[in-house]
Amino acid sequence: MTRKPLIGINSEYRSAQKGVPALSIAFAGYYDSLLQAGALPVVIPPFKEDTDLDDDLAQILETVDGVVLVGGADLDPMKDGYMRHPSVKLLDERREIFDRFLMDKIAERKTPLLAIGTGMQLLNVSQGGTLFLHLPEDRPLALPHRDAMDPNHRHPMVIEKGSLMERVYGENDIRVNSLHHMAIDDVAPGFMVTGRCPDGIIEAIESARRDWFALGTQFHPESPSATALDIGIFREFVRGVVAEKRKKGIHLLEAKQPLLV
């Protein structure tokens, strides 16, 4: 029987504190968006370092058809050879160690990938790109990209013609949610910018490699502050996963929802 695409989602991790045991969280926006796009989501929790990560992740990535790397707090710049800015609010150490290992395995296997927020930043640095560590200082003339008083803060996005982002949004006047103070500086080799804020800050990237279907958004299409058009990113990702599997002779169910063109 032809099956739906199976998409793995990494999860947030919170250490035990004040009598509350450690826990992992998968925010509903990610799996609801995948379900709406015609895929079946499964959560990938952050395993401990002392487990057999190589074999365990190999089995998981053999099973899933693609992965969504979710957003969260900040990557630790020190792990990439930079000083920490005082504004940095770090991911839990267990999650960051696991996410970096997972990202390396995804790239090694060329698993189809949608990376969002911090996930896109991790995709970029893992493949040789760099980050601005604090936009108000690194790009002081940039538009505000985070407003602590407004979780629905938005700014315009200019889309590259002929890109997946254009298939999602067409020629509409696009405004995306903006919740970040770090951002891509140098784009990783093998990737191209497909969406920017008018101030030049990168908001979307896509793989330019024929052997790897991967894309990233700095904004959050899964968030309650997303627009009705943003679900198209998940639909296009799932459609791309189906196409990649078809190349290997594996036929998956297409999404039932109409795809935006």
Side-chain angles (χ1 to χ4, degrees):
M1 182 179 72
T2 307
R3 61 178 177 81
K4 293 182 178 181
L6 192 66
I7 307 296
I9 308 172
N10 66 320
S11 59
E12 180 61 273
Y13 180 80
R14 296 180 185 174
S15 300
Q17 52 185 322
K18 296 182 180 179
V20 179
L23 54 87
S24 287
I25 299 172
F27 292 105
Y30 295 107
Y31 56 77
D32 283 346
S33 296
L34 286 168
L35 286 166
Q36 190 176 345
L40 288 178
V42 292
V43 175
I44 307 173
F47 308 151
K48 289 184 177 180
E49 282 187 276
D50 57 5
T51 59
D52 192 349
L53 281 178
D54 268 317
D55 288 345
D56 291 345
L57 281 180
Q59 184 173 339
I60 287 174
L61 294 179
E62 279 287 342
T63 303
V64 299
D65 302 303
V67 173
V68 172
L69 278 181
V70 305
D74 296 325
L75 298 171
D76 186 350
M78 295 183 69
K79 296 186 186 301
D80 299 303
Y82 300 96
M83 296 294 292
R84 286 180 189 162
H85 189 275
S87 65
V88 166
K89 296 182 179 180
L90 297 176
L91 290 169
D92 188 278
E93 179 78 357
R94 175 166 166 174
R95 176 183 165 184
E96 179 160 0
I97 290 172
F98 176 79
D99 281 5
R100 286 177 179 267
F101 196 89
L102 173 61
M103 180 65 247
D104 288 345
K105 294 303 176 184
I106 289 170
E108 182 182 303
R109 300 174 69 90
K110 306 296 186 295
T111 302
L113 174 66
L114 169 57
I116 296 172
T118 304
M120 183 179 85
Q121 295 172 8
L122 176 56
L123 166 61
N124 189 63
V125 297
S126 75
Q127 300 307 297
T130 61
L131 299 177
F132 291 120
L133 300 184
H134 190 54
L135 288 175
E137 291 183 9
D138 293 329
R139 294 290 299 271
L141 298 181
L143 296 173
H145 284 258
R146 181 171 65 179
D147 184 345
M149 303 301 292
D150 181 12
N152 297 315
H153 177 65
R154 310 182 75 79
H155 62 60
M157 183 173 72
V158 180
I159 294 172
E160 185 70 23
K161 290 188 179 300
S163 67
L164 184 147
M165 287 295 115
E166 187 185 36
R167 293 206 302 272
V168 170
Y169 294 108
E171 297 181 357
N172 294 285
D173 180 19
I174 303 306
R175 298 183 67 85
V176 294
N177 54 28
S178 189
L179 310 164
H180 59 107
H181 75 109
M182 296 172 72
I184 289 178
D185 182 3
D186 297 313
V187 182
F191 283 80
M192 57 186 179
V193 178
T194 57
R196 289 183 187 268
C197 181
D199 60 14
I201 300 302
I202 294 170
E203 293 290 333
I205 61 173
E206 296 172 23
S207 172
R209 300 174 53 172
R210 292 180 178 273
D211 64 344
W212 191 16
F213 175 61
L215 63 146
T217 66
Q218 181 61 67
F219 59 98
H220 285 260
E222 87 297 339
S223 170
S225 64
T227 70
L229 288 175
D230 291 338
I231 186 63
I233 292 174
F234 288 92
R235 290 175 178 160
E236 288 289 349
F237 174 63
V238 172
R239 184 169 76 169
V241 169
V242 171
E244 289 298 305
K245 285 294 185 178
R246 190 181 299 122
K247 292 177 185 177
K248 299 178 181 179
I250 301 171
H251 295 276
L252 303 175
L253 285 175
E254 295 276 6
K256 293 181 180 179
Q257 299 86 351
L259 296 170
L260 300 175
V261 294

